[in-house]
Amino acid sequence: RLRLASGKEISIPLKELSKKDRDWVRNNGAPKGAGGVKGVATRIVLRSYQAIVADSVALSQSLQQQALAGAIPGFFVGLTGGKPLEGFDIKRPIVFTIHVDGRGQQSGTMVAVPVTSKETFQKTLDAVFPAKMSPKGRAYEVAMLGKSVYAKPGEKYFLLSDSAEIVRNAQADPEDPVAVADISAESYFAVMPEAERRRSVGELESVMETMRGGLPPVSPAVERFQKVFRESMAAMTRILLADGDRSTFEASIDPATKQTSISFGMRAKSGTPLAEAFASYGSLRPRFVASHGADETGWIGVSVPKNEWLREAVKAVFGEGLAPLRQMIDAKAGQPGHPEAKAALGELETELGGLVDTPHFEQEIVFTADASGAPRVVTRIGHDSAGKFLAAMTKIAAIVAAPGGGVPDGDGILTVPLPSTGAEGLAAQPVRVAATTDAILLGFGCADTAPVKAIGASASAGSASAPISARLDLARLWPTLAAMNEATAALGGAVGEKGMVRADVNALADGIEVRLNVDDGVLALVGALGGAFSQMPGMPGGPGFPGAGEAGGLPPGFPPAGPQAGGPGSPAAGGVPKRRPGGPGVPGPDGAPPTIQGFPTPPIPQPNQPQAPAP
């Protein structure tokens, strides 16, 4: 199986590969259960120290958080007490494994450190960390960790662990792993005993029950949905723990595009009910969902099997959606046509009942703004008897509309007025209703019927669309949203020109994967909101924080943030220099060396300071 950059997976039969490639797949590419080591619960792979530092630089620039740029070098400074760690290979993968015992309790952690020279790295360990002999062997005392670390030297890797048994039984000099992302993690369910799995389910149910107690009162329909959702989540957790094989996490930042990609995946054991459910999800092909283009501010497409909680969600949404129509019809009691409208409402409820009971749910939502900036939402919902839905709406519109209303136009699009008193946003325009052979079309906030016609005519993207996917252009949407709120109005330009969010729930051969891709403008917005949030009264660092006094700030005894003396990120705390270093071999503006204690450091931007090339 090959995963493309888009997140989609394709399958190629092994027999179609050359023998050399088949051998490579079997030795390197195929999953190896618990990483080939007994008792491994989680395996984490970092592409390299160099890649992680580059990521921290990109994040610091996008989030406008300078301390992030030097966080990784600062950690190493604290780890080694400011001494250089010679022999450490910054260009090859670093592997962490978390081990558990037979009861599922953590028994230790091991890290495979890549080295450029076995002898040089050994000398570094001996020079940096105090060593002592114990009954379990030679151990290094690492003050920052507060524990002893045992080592197994190799030509390409040094194995370091807080457990002498783990490092003794591990294979020396493991092969370089296949790095699929800058950071990737894989957790294996098989190592968790049955009793531990049941305990985890009990904890989840207890947390959900506690959360339920703090919820505000809701309508009966929404309450039913919440109950079914809680029960479904608990049942899903039980199934995952019983039938799940492993979970995966990946995160990367493209150095050229500054796009951040994050994914979470879940795999099932072959032949289990969970594997069958995943296969059912992946076998669906959207009938009409289309990947829309640049004209839309946002788009969501869903095409999935309908389970119990999804049925309750549809019932709650459409049940609540009929309330305004029901009120409008009741207000016409005693007037001509009222009995017909009541009967039509019954027909509409019947059609919505059929929509709830269908085994497959499909919906597409497109939202944007018209020329004046007013919001607009158009959706189509899969329903084989959409014509009956439109007919019932036409009968209702005949009584709630102005005299002569309630008649679809030449394109079959019905206009249903809404109460206009004080109406704003989506309610400022009448609802546009239409039907195709397989879908209900609804338009909200549409000044005319053109958007409804457009979504009805758009062709399906077929298998090119994930069963669940979304696209959101925050560069276009955020300025409008920010202007609506006095607290965020000043942040209207935070996103800039690149603010796309892309989310997909892809079907894998043995599971599903949720993948999120965001441009750097989205991270800039997150950083701006975080900065504004921290300045709010009562928040850490902001005025009115408990114990901060009238001037605000952090509570007494908490070291100040930033490069001030003693604060996180300061030299005294093992952080980064206040001023950035210069280029390779060139001292920084304040005489700081081009590296931090022997570690390559990123260019750390400072206010009113020109940019310099990265070492």
Side-chain angles (χ1 to χ4, degrees):
R1 295 194 299 276
L2 301 180
R3 184 180 309 154
L4 307 181
S6 64
K8 180 182 178 182
E9 283 197 1
I10 61 175
S11 297
I12 298 176
L14 278 175
K15 65 182 180 181
E16 295 183 8
L17 301 180
S18 68
K19 182 180 184 305
K20 181 179 178 181
D21 285 345
R22 288 199 301 271
D23 291 342
W24 186 92
V25 169
R26 291 191 177 102
N27 294 331
N28 299 283
K32 298 181 177 63
V37 182
K38 184 179 180 181
V40 172
T42 301
R43 184 170 184 262
I44 303 170
V45 178
L46 308 183
R47 192 185 299 277
S48 68
Y49 171 85
Q50 193 174 62
I52 300 304
V53 168
D55 284 352
S56 64
V57 173
L59 282 175
S60 71
Q61 293 171 346
S62 295
L63 294 172
Q64 296 297 304
Q65 297 291 327
Q66 296 181 21
L68 284 176
I72 303 300
F75 168 79
F76 278 94
V77 168
L79 182 68
T80 66
K83 298 178 181 178
L85 197 58
E86 302 296 342
F88 172 39
D89 192 337
I90 66 171
K91 297 183 179 180
R92 293 195 7 253
I94 307 171
V95 183
F96 295 84
T97 49
I98 300 173
H99 300 247
V100 294
D101 58 23
R103 298 172 300 168
Q105 302 300 312
Q106 184 172 335
S107 60
T109 302
M110 185 173 71
V111 55
V113 180
V115 297
T116 57
S117 166
K118 174 181 178 180
E119 292 74 18
T120 302
F121 192 78
Q122 181 70 67
K123 292 178 180 178
T124 296
L125 290 181
D126 294 340
V128 172
F129 303 109
K132 68 176 184 179
M133 293 302 297
S134 70
K136 295 181 180 180
R138 183 182 176 87
Y140 294 98
E141 299 300 308
V142 182
M144 185 176 181
L145 303 180
K147 59 176 64 177
S148 298
V149 173
Y150 302 87
K152 176 180 282 189
E155 298 297 333
K156 297 197 304 180
Y157 279 95
F158 259 61
L159 303 183
L160 304 174
S161 176
D162 55 359
S163 166
E165 181 182 2
I166 289 174
V167 77
R168 181 171 58 248
N169 295 330
Q171 174 188 347
D173 249 342
E175 292 293 325
D176 280 351
V178 178
V180 297
D182 291 350
I183 302 174
S184 58
E186 195 164 19
S187 296
Y188 309 97
F189 298 162
V191 299
M192 184 183 295
E194 185 65 29
E196 190 68 17
R197 300 184 190 192
R198 288 197 297 268
R199 186 183 66 81
S200 297
V201 173
E203 289 179 353
L204 174 67
E205 292 175 339
S206 176
V207 168
M208 296 187 71
E209 192 64 29
T210 302
M211 293 172 60
R212 176 189 177 190
L215 294 174
V218 294
S219 67
V222 175
E223 186 176 6
R224 282 196 306 271
F225 164 68
Q226 291 177 346
K227 179 176 183 294
V228 171
F229 181 76
R230 288 194 301 271
E231 293 172 349
S232 298
M233 286 296 295
M236 187 182 302
T237 303
R238 295 189 198 100
I239 292 173
L240 286 175
L241 290 174
D243 298 347
D245 180 49
R246 63 197 192 281
S247 65
T248 57
F249 170 82
E250 299 169 8
S252 289
I253 298 178
D254 188 295
T257 65
K258 299 293 183 66
Q259 185 182 94
T260 300
S261 177
I262 300 173
S263 74
F264 177 79
M266 185 68 64
R267 267 75 170 177
K269 297 175 185 175
S270 178
T272 61
L274 181 62
E276 294 176 2
F278 285 155
S280 174
Y281 175 83
S283 66
L284 287 176
R285 290 295 175 264
R287 292 183 296 177
F288 56 69
V289 166
S291 299
H292 282 263
D295 292 339
E296 286 77 30
T297 303
W299 169 81
I300 300 172
V302 178
S303 184
V304 295
K306 193 180 292 179
N307 54 22
E308 185 178 0
W309 75 263
L310 184 53
R311 287 191 176 90
E312 287 296 332
V314 174
K315 189 184 300 182
V317 170
F318 284 101
E320 297 292 320
L322 287 182
L325 275 180
R326 190 175 290 109
Q327 294 172 1
M328 294 172 71
I329 291 173
D330 290 344
K332 300 284 185 177
Q335 299 182 21
H338 177 258
E340 290 79 2
K342 287 283 288 184
L345 182 61
E347 295 173 12
L348 188 61
E349 291 173 336
T350 299
E351 285 306 310
L352 292 179
L355 179 62
V356 169
D357 293 335
T358 55
H360 174 211
F361 178 77
E362 184 163 353
Q363 182 175 14
E364 180 174 33
I365 305 172
V366 179
F367 46 99
T368 184
D370 60 21
S372 67
R376 184 177 70 209
V377 175
V378 185
T379 181
R380 56 178 169 177
I381 306 160
H383 190 41
D384 291 335
S385 57
K388 294 181 179 179
F389 177 91
L390 178 61
M393 286 295 298
T394 301
K395 294 176 183 177
I396 294 172
I399 185 172
V400 300
V407 178
D409 65 10
D411 295 310
I413 300 176
L414 175 69
T415 295
V416 181
L418 292 173
S420 58
T421 305
E424 296 181 357
L426 297 178
Q429 299 286 349
V431 179
R432 315 289 180 174
V433 186
T436 62
T437 56
D438 58 0
I440 300 168
L441 311 181
L442 299 171
F444 303 90
C446 300
D448 54 45
T449 60
V452 177
K453 289 170 60 177
I455 195 172
S458 57
S460 170
S463 59
S465 290
I468 301 176
S469 54
R471 305 289 183 266
L472 180 64
D473 188 353
L474 281 179
R476 298 172 61 183
L477 181 64
W478 173 249
T480 301
L481 294 178
M484 295 179 180
N485 191 317
E486 187 175 328
T488 58
L491 303 177
V495 176
E497 297 181 355
K498 294 179 62 179
M500 282 297 299
V501 179
R502 305 164 188 84
D504 298 282
V505 184
N506 297 292
L508 308 179
D510 56 354
I512 59 173
E513 177 193 60
V514 181
R515 182 170 290 273
L516 179 69
N517 294 295
V518 300
D519 291 343
D520 60 339
V522 180
L523 297 181
L525 175 60
V526 172
L529 289 173
F533 185 70
S534 68
Q535 297 304 313
M536 294 174 62
M539 300 309 299
F545 189 82
E550 295 181 1
L554 296 170
F558 195 96
Q564 297 88 345
S570 70
V576 300
K578 183 176 181 180
R579 296 179 68 93
R580 58 181 281 186
V586 180
D590 58 355
T595 61
I596 296 179
Q597 301 296 343
F599 295 99
T601 56
I604 305 170
Q606 297 293 328
N608 303 318
Q609 207 173 17
Q611 294 290 316

